[in-house]
Structure formats: structure tokens, C-alpha cells
Amino acid sequence: MGREEADVVGVVGACGGAGASTVAAALADGLRRAGRRPVLVDLATTGAGIDVLLGIDHREGPRWADLRDARGEVDGRALVSLLPTWCAVPVLSAHRTDPVVLDPGVVVDVCSALADACDVLVLDLPRAALAAGTGAGPGVNAGTAAGTGAVASARTGAGAGPGPCERGDAEHAALVGACDTLFLVTPLEVPAVAGAVAAVALARRTGADRSMRLVARRPAPGRLDPWEVSDVVGLPLACVVGWDRTLAARVDRGQGTPVGARRPLGRAGRELAALVTAGTLTRIPAVA
């Protein structure tokens, strides 16, 4: 990448509405508070945009739709300086009025450039990314390709060989494979736990499960125990995110995700950031 490689951390939901974007934002804020230089990237380029969740959708700055032609060598530092910020964290988001299906090479080139301009790249991944590269044929093995070098290496294959859908799978597989750590956000509800089991099964096909850790989210209406859920899903428990009853109202008012020191998300963000910063999230050995 031209300098010391950034850590790459992915956050993905076990089901729809799991709160992966919220946890990704809390993690990015926790990293900033720990003295790191994170960039938060929303990879759901056709979605509503994480900027709405954070209450910064009114701020000027490039979104994914503005980068549709960004191919090849992208100036990551210049891009970071232009991005809107939330809690001093640069954020690359989709835009609700201009959702865009991007050439997969654009996503990889932009993420690679951003990794050159920060020391932690936080990827808010769509759940479909876990299925990328699990079909027939060779692909990026997430169990061996972790690190921002894996993102950069995907540049060489973009736009050549297979068709656009197959290339898209390869690029998404490269992004998942580039993650040093994947946090699987799972609400403490039975359908969500079932989704987590399915997500791990998908990740296992490419070896991505070896970098996965469980993030359990309260409330637990059926009194599910986070540590028992960890056993059922088969992942180490990284953190339990407490329930903040003010979250939905704050987002509706445009105030963004509450990550103050005494808030549940603030505490969770600091815990996850400490794990990432300490480098204690070693990969799980492959199952023979």
C-alpha cells in the first residue's frame, strides 16, 4: 500500500436490522478516542446511507455516487480531507437520493486508497458480502488474504476475465478477505441467532469465519444468554451491547447515534476498539 498497512475491520449483521451500522459507527468512535485514525465506510452503496443514521446527511462532501468514475490510483488523503465527518471520523456513505450500483473495481480502488490514508479502515458490510466468492470456482480465500494488501491485490483482476457479476463476487470476497477482524452483530433473539449460524456457515466456505467474533445486542426479550448464544453460533464473544432506549428517537430527530462515555454504544465502542488496538483478536485455527 506504500506505507504501513492499516488494520481492516468489518462489521456485518446476522440479519436485517441487526444494528451493524450502529455498531460500526460506535467502533469507529471508540478507535478515535483511543488515538487511532479511523475511516468509516458504508458499503451498501444502494442503501439509504449511514450518514442519515449518524445525522450528518446535511453535510457537504463526496458520497459513493460522486465516486462512480474513481478507478485506478485514487488520492486517498485528498478524499479523506473532503469526506463529511461524524465525531471527527471521516465517513464515506451512500446517498439516499442517488443510490448507485458501482463497478466493483471502483469500490476496491476507493477502499484501498482510504486504507492508505488512515490506520484503521472500518467497513460496514452488507450481509450479502459473506456469500461472495462461495460459489463455484476459485476465489479469494479470506482465511489467508487478510490485510489491506488483499484489497490492493484485487485491483489487478478488476475488469478482466470473468463477467461483471463474477467480478463483483471476487471484489466483495476480497473486501471480506481483507478484514483482519469481522464482527458479527447479533440481536439476542432466536431468528437473529439462526441468522448468525447461517452467516458463520457462509463465512466458513471461504475461511472468513476464522476472523469472526460475535457482538451480541440487547435487549433480550426471551432472556437469551449472550454466552450461550456464543456457544450455539460457534464464535468467541467480543462484546455485549446494551440497549439504549433513546437511540431510535435520537436518530429520528437527526441527532445521530449516541456514543457518549456513559452510553451503551459508547461503552461497547471503546471495548471493541480496545480489542482491535491491543491486537488480541487472533484468528481461530482452521477446523481440520
Side-chain angles (χ1 to χ4, degrees), residues 38-271:
V39 172
L40 175 60
V41 180
D42 169 17
L43 286 171
T45 63
T46 60
I50 197 173
D51 57 354
V52 176
L53 174 71
L54 302 178
I56 60 170
D57 50 303
H58 61 286
R59 295 187 183 174
E60 297 293 330
R63 269 62 171 184
W64 274 117
D66 302 307
L67 302 173
R68 67 183 85 222
D69 297 321
R71 290 299 308 270
E73 292 298 325
V74 179
D75 188 336
R77 293 187 181 183
L79 178 56
V80 166
S81 71
L82 295 172
L83 290 174
T85 60
W86 168 78
C87 293
V89 175
V91 179
L92 178 55
S93 172
H95 198 291
R96 65 188 183 281
T97 64
D98 194 7
V100 60
V101 178
L102 294 169
D103 183 298
V106 169
V107 176
V108 170
D109 285 347
V110 169
C111 287
S112 181
L114 291 174
D116 277 339
C118 68
D119 64 6
V120 188
L121 190 65
V122 180
L123 303 179
D124 180 12
L125 292 160
R127 189 174 182 273
L130 292 177
T134 60
V140 175
N141 187 319
T144 58
T148 50
V151 179
S153 67
R155 285 175 170 167
T156 59
C165 290
E166 292 167 316
R167 290 202 307 270
D169 273 356
E171 308 299 354
H172 283 123
L175 290 171
V176 172
C179 292
D180 301 290
T181 304
L182 273 169
F183 289 122
L184 181 64
V185 181
T186 306
L188 291 172
E189 301 172 0
V190 169
V193 174
V197 172
V200 172
L202 280 174
R204 187 172 293 124
R205 297 176 187 176
T206 59
D209 63 309
R210 294 171 58 195
S211 64
M212 268 184 155
R213 299 296 183 272
L214 180 71
V215 176
R217 280 200 75 192
R218 297 191 187 277
R223 299 184 182 276
L224 294 185
D225 181 82
W227 289 269
E228 291 181 0
V229 169
S230 172
D231 290 339
V232 169
V233 174
L235 293 179
L237 182 63
C239 179
V240 179
V241 183
W243 181 37
D244 188 335
R245 26 180 109 231
T246 72
L247 173 61
R250 287 179 58 90
V251 171
D252 284 349
R253 291 194 296 265
Q255 296 175 319
T257 305
V259 288
R262 297 185 180 181
R263 296 280 191 173
L265 283 166
R267 291 194 294 269
R270 291 194 303 276
E271 288 180 28

Side-chain angles (χ1 to χ4, degrees), residues 9-52:
V9 182
V11 183
V12 64
C15 60
S21 297
T22 302
V23 171
L27 168 60
D29 178 69
L31 288 164
R32 177 191 64 81
R33 291 174 183 271
R36 304 295 296 271
R37 295 180 295 104
V39 172
L40 175 60
V41 180
D42 169 17
L43 286 171
T45 63
T46 60
I50 197 173
D51 57 354
V52 176

